[in-house]
Amino acid sequence: MVEVASASQADIDWLARDDASAGKAWVSRCVALGEYLVAREAGELVGFLRFSRFWGRVPYMEMIRVLPGHRRSGVGTALFLAWEAAMRGEGARLLMTSSECDESRPQDWHRRNGFSETGAIELPGLQSVPEVFFIKRLA
Ligand SMILES: CC(C)(COP(=O)(O)OP(=O)(O)OC[C@H]1O[C@@H](n2cnc3c(N)ncnc32)[C@H](O)[C@@H]1OP(=O)(O)O)[C@@H](O)C(=O)NCCC(=O)NCCS
């Protein structure tokens, strides 16, 4: 059974390893601000969701990752649904996320969770392909 919770100080080393591109200082900052959810199975960390807020108010899912051996068993969905419920509880009307334009599998997964594509931006010097943005309206 998967359990989803807000990340705590004790999760920082694991997150810094598994979300390495964020860097440990950023991981610590996000944990302190409650911007990480973690998933556990049998007490072991198996995935995380990191978010921020576009314009300081629109919830923006920056990264969701489930350990390879634990994929396709509902962990990602549990993380996403917990985040969506928390954001709805804060009064959010819209969720955002994004993905590199050639990453078709994560994009299919975002669509499956109710997101629709809303545009793309080029990031010269940072990324060789455009970043595609997705939104999901919350009723
Ligand atoms: C994308 C990701 C988070 C999904 O997590 P997951 O735990 O494997 O997904 P779930 O098991 O909750 O998926 C639920 C459903 O989506 C389907 N699904 C899973 N991964 C999918 C994918 N990449 N594309 C399309 N459908 C997918 C599953 O088959 C399942 O459907 P079913 O219930 O009909 O069998 C995970 O595959 C992952 O960590 N990928 C690598 C990192 C990544 O690409 N992150 C997203 C961009 S930031």
Side-chain angles (χ1 to χ4, degrees), residues 118-135:
T118 193
I121 58 169
E122 310 251 353
L123 298 164
L126 286 179
Q127 195 166 280
S128 58
V129 296
E131 184 81 359
V132 182
F133 285 78
F134 292 82
I135 55 169

Side-chain angles (χ1 to χ4, degrees), residues 15-134:
L15 287 167
R17 273 197 309 277
D18 217 67
D19 194 11
S21 66
K24 194 166 183 177
W26 191 255
V27 168
S28 299
R29 173 217 168 266
C30 294
V31 169
L33 293 176
E35 294 178 348
Y36 264 113
L37 293 179
V38 287
R40 283 186 170 77
E41 271 181 340
E44 297 292 319
L45 287 161
V46 294
F48 69 86
L49 184 159
R50 170 164 52 83
F51 68 99
S52 61
R53 289 178 178 80
F54 185 74
W55 290 342
R57 61 189 162 85
V58 183
Y60 172 55
M61 177 167 61
E62 295 194 348
M63 185 68 182
I64 180 165
R65 193 175 124 81
V66 174
L67 294 183
H70 296 264
R71 289 182 190 160
R72 296 212 163 218
S73 64
V75 175
T77 300
L79 278 165
F80 174 71
L81 291 179
W83 179 64
E84 181 179 56
M87 296 303 103
R88 199 189 289 272
E90 287 183 6
R93 308 281 302 278
L94 190 74
L95 301 179
M96 290 176 63
T97 192
S98 68
S99 161
E100 290 181 40
C101 76
D102 58 355
E103 291 182 322
S104 67
R105 295 187 65 211
Q107 293 183 12
D108 287 346
W109 194 76
H110 292 327
R111 287 191 190 93
R112 198 180 187 288
N113 289 322
F115 282 95
S116 45
E117 196 174 320
T118 193
I121 58 169
E122 310 251 353
L123 298 164
L126 286 179
Q127 195 166 280
S128 58
V129 296
E131 184 81 359
V132 182
F133 285 78
F134 292 82

